[in-house]
Amino acid sequence: MANVFEIDELKVGYGKLEIIHGVTFSVEKNELFVIVGPNGSGKSTLLKGLFGLASIKGGKILFNGEDITKLPPHERSKLGLAYHPQLNNTFENLTVRENILLAGYFLDRDELERRLENVLEFLPEIRGFMERKVKTLSGGERQMVAFAMNMIKEPNTVMFDEPTAALSPKMADLIFDRIRRLKTEYGLTVVLVEQNAKKALEMGDRAMLLVTGSIKYLGPAQELLTHEDLASMYLGLRD
Amino acid sequence: MMLDTNILLDALVYSNMLALLSLSLTLTIMTLKVANFAHGDLAIIGVYGAYTFLILAHVATYLTLPIAFLFGGLYALLNYVLVYSPMRRRGANFVMLMIASMAIDIATRSMLQMYADVLKLNFKVYSRAFIFNDVVFNIAGTRVRGLVLISTLSVVSLLAILYVLLMKTKFGVAMRAAIENPALAEVLGINVEKVYATSWFLAGGFAGVAGFFLPFRIPTSPDLGFIILLPIFAASILGGINSLSGAVIGGYIVGVSEILGTYLLSQPPINLSTAYRPAIPFAILILTLLLLPQGIASLWSRGE
Ligand SMILES: Nc1ncnc2c1ncn2[C@@H]1O[C@H](COP(=O)(O)OP(=O)(O)OP(=O)(O)O)[C@@H](O)[C@H]1O
Ligand SMILES: [Mg+2]
């Protein structure tokens, strides 16, 4: 069985505060795994825990069979895990090119050039604003820059934290489309946290519903979408 | 009343020093968010380093300029590694760091006082209120005081080096990134500690160079670092606290206002005592905070 993540009784928090109260789940290779839940339920905290940015209070994280529970973020990054933060995911005062090059800080020049070409092929919209400072970009354009910063590292697994928050429907569709292609064309594993629950669940394989730091549902994504009680109670979905 | 050239040149020299000091103070503020009350001391450490070398080696005074850079830089690096970095990692806030810098200021000046005694006893030289003798360069028939020439060249070349480092090198991009968002820089695998330590070394070096020029203008003593703090802060705040270019321009505005202002106010009909000199940077400081709290950098960065 090829599981990318094996998470066992994981507890995550900040300082003395425990936010995630012992969750157990796994993410399969090449799966699009969706995490939904109300504001403040701990979705971002869970991703931060998986990337090593919030403190682990208990439990265990296996990533491709390796125990990464205690590894610092840059070590996890070396194992092919990438994280797309919800906020502050780009450097505002640097140009788009500088942001992307910075993400590839450890690559030599030729390798960087080669990867940059690939990234720009995948996200061609970025070509139009490579030399602009990020603070002059729209929200959608910034998300694409953050996306590109992760792609330059050629990861095997990407965790997105609300990449479509506050975007126009058209821009959100574009981002969703690229996320889907990561899975279908590039064979990556994707963990996607989304407020835009309907769209995310429609394209996801399996889903988790997180409420106040505990799992309320874990199973096929489409089933959660049509689940009478849960969908209307926690996600504001009905049809 | 006529301003003679000497006053204008003195204003230039003083402003050159102030620009380096406010630039370096701003660099440390940007990395660590600390109002460093020991910043003036870095200049004095630099000049005592150069002076010591001068006593030992009997070379031309200007040849010891790099020594001043080295001493200022290493002392700042030491401050960072031993005090500020551990405090940062433990989550110290602005006030705690500021108080630490006050302690460093007191410790540094006491240490310099002791060192001044050591110099005096061992080498029988003036170790307090010492001065450097200037030389005159002859450039294409024009006689230029060394201080005017070298201080201006130092500012121009140090600014050029800093610009190239920050804007044209990979390390510079990482440096700007680590200053703007250390958490994200860390996620990307950038060694933020190394970047900050480098910034402190450079800042200390710049301050040391500024300090080197002090004894050409005024008698230099261990306590001078605290006395020059007010105009440095005024220049940095006028520049917008978070802008390197603002800090340099702020240095020139404060420097020129201080020298020319003091001169003009001491002339008839006002005849004010030159003892009121610190009132000028102080007034600039207060006016900036009241009228342009984001500093002059906000005038050109707003539209970006
Ligand atoms: N750095 C922090 N320190 C302390 N508490 C935090 C921190 N970040 C988040 N929290 C708290 O943790 C809880 C979960 O926050 P989290 O950001 O994980 O929720 P979320 O599900 O991502 O919400 P949203 O949908 O609004 O992004 C909240 O109660 C929040 O106040
Ligand atoms: Mg969140």
Side-chain angles (χ1 to χ4, degrees):
Chain A
M1 195 171 88
N3 277 341
V4 169
F5 273 119
E6 285 280 1
I7 287 143
D8 185 32
E9 278 300 315
L10 187 69
K11 296 179 175 143
V12 189
Y14 307 96
K16 289 195 174 64
L17 202 64
E18 185 180 298
I19 305 285
I20 300 292
H21 311 293
V23 294
T24 300
F25 66 99
S26 59
V27 177
E28 287 165 25
K29 197 167 163 58
N30 196 214
E31 182 175 37
L32 205 168
F33 188 87
V34 180
I35 301 176
V36 289
N39 288 116
S41 58
K43 306 181 295 296
S44 297
T45 305
L46 176 57
L47 286 202
K48 283 186 215 163
L50 294 181
F51 199 67
L53 293 169
S55 55
I56 309 284
K57 312 258 166 234
K60 201 158 126 182
I61 310 168
L62 291 188
F63 180 66
N64 289 320
E66 185 175 340
D67 188 347
I68 62 165
T69 319
K70 293 198 167 62
L71 288 190
H74 63 270
E75 295 283 343
R76 301 186 195 210
S77 170
K78 276 188 205 145
L79 295 173
L81 179 62
Y83 164 63
H84 183 116
Q86 180 172 5
L87 301 167
N88 299 324
N89 49 22
T90 46
F91 297 103
E92 302 247 313
N93 292 315
L94 304 187
T95 66
V96 173
R97 182 182 297 277
E98 286 171 338
N99 266 279
I100 298 174
L101 295 186
L102 207 55
Y105 195 66
F106 295 104
L107 303 170
D108 68 48
R109 215 191 180 83
D110 294 345
E111 178 66 7
L112 199 59
E113 284 303 318
R114 184 188 71 73
R115 290 190 185 190
L116 187 59
E117 253 334 289
N118 291 344
V119 169
L120 290 177
E121 216 161 277
F122 183 65
L123 295 161
E125 295 81 1
I126 290 184
R127 282 185 206 274
F129 45 82
M130 277 299 273
E131 309 306 332
R132 275 169 57 192
K133 282 194 179 180
V134 168
K135 66 179 166 196
T136 70
L137 300 181
S138 73
E141 290 165 340
R142 286 170 194 227
Q143 292 294 355
M144 270 192 258
V145 175
F147 203 144
M149 286 168 76
N150 269 330
M151 289 305 103
I152 203 95
K153 292 184 246 170
E154 298 193 344
N156 56 48
T157 305
V158 189
M159 306 190 288
F160 289 92
D161 196 349
E162 304 201 22
T164 70
L167 298 189
S168 70
K170 199 165 150 254
M171 185 55 94
D173 283 345
L174 190 146
I175 300 276
F176 277 134
D177 170 65
R178 298 305 149 82
I179 291 175
R180 190 180 0 229
R181 282 175 54 195
L182 286 186
K183 169 189 148 74
T184 54
E185 281 176 35
Y186 295 81
L188 301 194
T189 307
V190 178
V191 177
L192 175 61
V193 168
E194 259 302 332
Q195 285 290 347
N196 218 329
K198 188 162 184 294
K199 282 250 169 59
L201 292 174
E202 274 168 3
M203 70 182 212
D205 295 315
R206 283 190 310 139
M208 171 204 275
L209 171 63
L210 199 64
V211 179
T212 55
S214 304
I215 299 178
K216 270 271 179 316
Y217 173 91
L218 184 62
Q222 279 75 19
E223 232 164 81
L224 176 58
L225 193 58
T226 54
H227 194 295
E228 284 287 319
D229 304 342
L230 293 177
S232 60
M233 196 181 322
Y234 294 113
L235 304 172
L237 297 174
R238 70 189 59 150
D239 49 359
Chain B
M1 60 200 142
M2 271 293 295
L3 280 174
D4 73 71
T5 346
N6 276 332
I7 302 242
L8 291 175
L9 288 178
D10 187 47
L12 173 66
V13 169
Y14 180 66
S15 305
N16 284 340
M17 290 163 44
L18 211 49
L20 286 178
L21 286 164
S22 99
L23 171 69
S24 47
L25 176 69
T26 302
L27 190 57
T28 54
I29 291 175
M30 285 169 80
T31 52
L32 215 62
K33 321 278 176 283
V34 54
N36 185 7
F37 278 84
H39 193 75
D41 300 330
L42 296 173
I44 310 303
I45 293 277
V47 69
Y48 267 92
Y51 187 44
T52 307
F53 197 77
L54 203 60
I55 294 165
L56 294 173
H58 304 289
V59 290
T61 314
Y62 282 112
L63 290 181
T64 62
L65 179 55
I67 306 283
F69 183 99
L70 209 60
F71 269 76
L74 288 178
Y75 192 71
L77 183 62
L78 212 63
N79 284 182
Y80 177 75
V81 172
L82 295 183
V83 180
Y84 297 121
S85 167
M87 288 183 74
R88 177 178 87 94
R89 271 181 272 124
R90 293 195 177 88
N93 63 27
F94 179 82
V95 175
M96 298 174 191
L97 291 169
M98 187 177 76
I99 291 172
S101 86
M102 289 174 173
I104 291 179
D105 166 57
I106 294 168
T108 305
R109 283 187 288 136
S110 313
M111 218 175 61
L112 282 168
Q113 294 287 6
M114 290 190 265
Y115 184 66
D117 288 332
V118 173
L119 274 185
K120 188 173 169 183
L121 292 173
N122 285 314
F123 299 103
K124 311 279 177 273
V125 292
Y126 286 108
S127 62
R128 292 191 178 77
F130 65 89
I131 54 165
F132 287 167
N133 292 317
D134 207 352
V135 289
V136 173
F137 291 97
N138 197 330
I139 298 171
T142 325
R143 289 165 60 80
V144 190
R145 268 165 63 211
L147 181 57
V148 175
L149 185 70
I150 306 287
S151 71
T152 307
L153 283 180
S154 302
V155 172
V156 172
S157 46
L158 287 178
L159 287 185
I161 290 169
L162 188 65
Y163 180 82
V164 171
L165 174 72
L166 284 177
M167 306 309 283
K168 305 289 174 202
T169 70
K170 226 161 109 171
F171 187 76
V173 178
M175 214 158 136
R176 285 185 286 142
I179 285 171
E180 182 190 320
N181 188 342
L184 183 58
E186 218 136 2
V187 169
L188 294 177
I190 291 165
N191 189 337
V192 175
E193 268 303 297
K194 194 169 120 192
V195 167
Y196 280 11
T198 309
S199 310
W200 275 75
F201 175 73
L202 287 176
F206 281 36
V209 168
F212 173 81
F213 297 116
L214 283 170
F216 290 102
R217 290 187 72 247
I218 48 172
T220 299
S221 298
D223 270 335
L224 193 54
F226 191 70
I227 297 165
I228 58 177
L229 212 49
L230 175 64
I232 303 175
F233 268 88
S236 175
I237 288 170
L238 176 61
I241 279 289
N242 271 319
S243 160
L244 295 176
S245 46
V248 173
I249 295 168
Y252 282 97
I253 295 176
V254 173
V256 169
S257 321
E258 200 179 325
I259 299 290
L260 296 192
T262 312
Y263 175 74
L264 293 175
L265 291 175
S266 69
Q267 300 294 306
I270 304 174
N271 292 326
L272 205 63
S273 157
T274 52
Y276 286 104
R277 176 171 165 173
I280 293 172
F282 201 58
I284 294 177
L285 185 69
I286 290 174
L287 286 177
T288 307
L289 292 175
L290 285 176
L291 303 176
L292 199 62
Q294 307 292 315
I296 47 175
S298 62
L299 298 178
W300 64 79
S301 64
R302 200 172 284 157
E304 265 185 12

